[in-house]
Amino acid sequence: MKFGKRSVMEAVIVPLVAWVVIWLFLYIRPTSGIQRENFNVSWLITTVVSLLLVLAFIALVLKKRLRKVGYTDLKFKELPQVLEKADPEIINDLTSGIFRAILIWGAFSSGVLINGPKKGIILAIDFALVFITVGLLLIISMVVLLMDVPLMLYESLTGKRLSPIFKEILLISLVSGGSLVLLSCMASHLGASEIGLFRSLLKFYVNRDLYKNLLLLSALNILYGLVGILILPRRRRAGRLMLLLIALALVPILIKVFIQLHSL
């Protein structure tokens, strides 16, 4: 079996087998939180259906990524043959994402196993909403301060051009910022606080200072991405100065957000 196809199959099978082994062990040796009764038909159906959805998503991502590198007329049935010819660097990048996707699927299925299908799915969606709205925003802010700014300074000192990530910063910040605005609209709707699915997310809106700081953090990240895309390529000195000023403005707000999150 060629490298590409084998790597993709391993990225799917290895974490899948690992989760099956863990669940088999828990079935043989039940714990206080997981009894044999938890391994019921509802859990099995939820696990299998969610796995099929994840595999379909993986296939779509593979197809889209391979189209970007020249395989424009790629069809699903041609994926195995194309994977055998693809660049190993592209394959390694894809397999790391596939591996993480299967790990996330296993964590979701384990949550359903512990809490039951209804509560487990609600908790998973709740976690996903919080991660998209707040988690991604904090991660991208840390990436700006700890990775992008040092790399930008290194580039200015050495003259070596590095791969920019301004589009990713802009996109993620727009998603998080849009989610925060949507949260405000949702929270103002009567009865929204009674919906268990959004209860954890609404905590960030109730704390008005935290909510405003999150919005400001998102706005600064969006501005950082726009400057990097629109100004830096044309006027590098002015662009670097603006990016550095935005990064400095991020620091006190990020510290405030972490303090406020700790006090929730």
Side-chain angles (χ1 to χ4, degrees):
M1 188 181 296
K2 297 294 182 66
F3 170 77
K5 191 192 298 185
R6 185 183 71 247
S7 297
V8 170
M9 290 186 66
E10 287 176 353
V12 174
I13 293 173
V14 170
L16 181 60
V17 170
W19 280 117
V20 171
V21 170
I22 291 171
W23 294 330
L24 183 61
F25 177 79
L26 290 172
Y27 182 80
I28 296 172
R29 295 286 185 87
T31 65
S32 58
I34 302 177
Q35 299 296 321
R36 287 185 178 175
E37 292 77 14
N38 294 52
F39 295 88
N40 50 39
V41 176
S42 298
W43 172 76
L44 182 61
I45 292 173
T46 303
T47 300
V48 172
V49 170
S50 60
L51 176 61
L52 293 175
L53 292 174
V54 169
L55 293 177
F57 175 76
I58 287 172
L60 287 171
V61 171
L62 281 172
K63 186 177 178 182
K64 184 177 180 181
R65 179 63 190 276
L66 291 170
R67 278 181 171 178
K68 284 184 178 181
V69 294
Y71 299 96
T72 52
D73 298 325
L74 178 63
K75 298 178 181 178
F76 280 113
K77 63 181 181 180
E78 299 171 343
L79 273 177
Q81 292 77 19
V82 172
L83 288 172
E84 294 176 1
K85 305 173 184 177
D87 187 344
E89 289 188 8
I90 296 173
I91 296 298
N92 289 331
D93 184 43
L94 289 170
T95 52
S96 63
I98 293 170
F99 189 86
R100 288 192 294 269
I102 300 297
L103 286 180
I104 292 172
W105 162 80
F108 163 75
S109 299
S110 297
V112 173
L113 179 64
I114 296 170
N115 299 288
K118 183 178 179 180
K119 188 177 179 181
I121 292 172
I122 289 175
L123 288 173
I125 296 174
D126 187 31
F127 174 81
L129 291 173
V130 172
F131 180 74
I132 292 170
T133 305
V134 180
L136 281 177
L137 180 58
L138 296 177
I139 290 171
I140 204 65
S141 299
M142 297 296 292
V143 167
V144 167
L145 293 175
L146 300 180
M147 292 180 60
D148 199 63
V149 170
L151 289 175
M152 180 181 63
L153 295 175
Y154 173 79
E155 179 185 335
S156 66
L157 292 173
T158 61
K160 182 179 179 181
R161 294 293 178 89
L162 302 170
S163 299
I165 57 170
F166 298 115
K167 289 183 180 179
E168 290 80 1
I169 292 171
L170 178 61
L171 178 62
I172 293 173
S173 301
L174 283 171
V175 170
S176 293
S179 299
L180 287 168
V181 174
L182 185 62
L183 173 62
S184 177
C185 298
M186 181 190 67
S188 62
H189 188 272
L190 293 177
S193 60
E194 300 300 322
I195 303 176
L197 187 63
F198 305 114
R199 197 161 293 163
S200 296
L201 197 58
L202 287 171
K203 292 179 182 178
F204 300 99
Y205 179 78
V206 172
N207 189 324
R208 300 304 297 167
D209 289 336
L210 173 59
Y211 180 75
K212 291 176 183 177
N213 284 329
L214 288 171
L215 276 178
L216 185 55
L217 204 61
S218 177
L220 286 172
N221 284 328
I222 291 171
L223 183 60
Y224 187 92
L226 288 173
V227 170
I229 294 170
L230 301 176
I231 298 177
L232 186 63
R234 296 178 177 85
R235 303 181 63 184
R236 300 201 69 81
R237 286 188 178 181
R240 287 194 191 106
L241 178 60
M242 293 176 68
L243 291 173
L244 185 58
L245 291 174
I246 295 170
L248 290 174
L250 279 171
V251 175
I253 299 170
L254 190 60
I255 292 173
K256 286 181 182 178
V257 167
F258 276 119
I259 293 172
Q260 289 165 338
L261 287 173
H262 185 265
S263 62
L264 277 181

